[in-house]
Amino acid sequence: QVHVVESGGGSVQAGESLRLSCVVSGYTYSGYCMAWFRQIPGKEREGLAAIDTDGSVTTADSVKGRFTISQHNAENTLYLQMTSLKPEDTGVYICAADVRTIPGEKCAETIKDLTTTYDYNYWGQGTQVTVSS
C-alpha cells in the first residue's frame, strides 16, 4: 500500500515563503510520478505542478515564477517551494502520486496532463496554507 503524507503548511504573511514536503512510502516501485494540487474553498481543485518518472516537470501558469517543484528521489520526497505568497494562495495543498513498475515507463504522454486530466491513485490528506495580508 502506498502512503502519501504532506507537511510544511502554516500561516504566513503576504510576500513570505513556505516549502511543502510530500513523502511517498510503501512498496518499492520503478518510479513515481507526483504532483501538487490545491483546494481553495468555493473553487475547483487546481493542479499546480508535477514531476513525471523521467524527471520532466510542469508548472501551472497561475503559479509559474513563484512556485517551484522538486524531488529527492532517494527519499521519495516531493517539495513545493512557494515564494511571494498572496492571500489568494490560501487553501489546502494536496500531494498526489502514482507508480510505475516498468523501468523507464512514464505516467503521461504529455507532461501537462499530470496537473490536469491524469487520474492519480494515491492522495494525501493535505496541508493547510494560510496567507494573510
Side-chain angles (χ1 to χ4, degrees), residues 27-97:
Y27 295 110
T28 300
Y29 292 97
S30 174
Y32 292 93
C33 54
M34 302 171 72
W36 285 103
F37 291 79
R38 72 181 173 191
Q39 183 70 60
I40 296 174
K43 295 189 176 182
E44 287 189 6
R45 187 174 63 198
E46 177 187 13
L48 300 176
I51 293 180
D52 210 333
T53 57
D54 63 352
S56 55
V57 171
T58 185
T59 304
D61 290 341
S62 60
V63 298
K64 195 171 290 184
R66 296 192 301 124
F67 291 9
T68 304
I69 192 170
S70 62
Q71 65 179 359
H72 189 305
N73 284 337
E75 298 179 355
N76 289 337
T77 302
L78 184 72
Y79 301 102
L80 186 68
Q81 179 68 49
M82 305 186 294
T83 63
S84 302
L85 283 162
K86 306 174 182 179
E88 51 264 44
D89 293 318
T90 295
V92 177
Y93 285 67
I94 308 162
C95 180

Side-chain angles (χ1 to χ4, degrees), residues 84-133:
S84 302
L85 283 162
K86 306 174 182 179
E88 51 264 44
D89 293 318
T90 295
V92 177
Y93 285 67
I94 308 162
C95 180
D98 209 350
V99 301
R100 284 297 177 266
T101 57
I102 300 173
E105 183 184 14
K106 296 198 298 181
C107 288
E109 284 294 316
T110 304
I111 186 65
K112 284 188 80 69
D113 290 350
L114 292 183
T115 56
T116 53
T117 59
Y118 187 81
D119 188 14
Y120 290 88
N121 283 301
Y122 306 103
W123 292 84
Q125 294 296 308
T127 185
Q128 176 71 40
V129 172
T130 302
V131 185
S132 51
S133 56

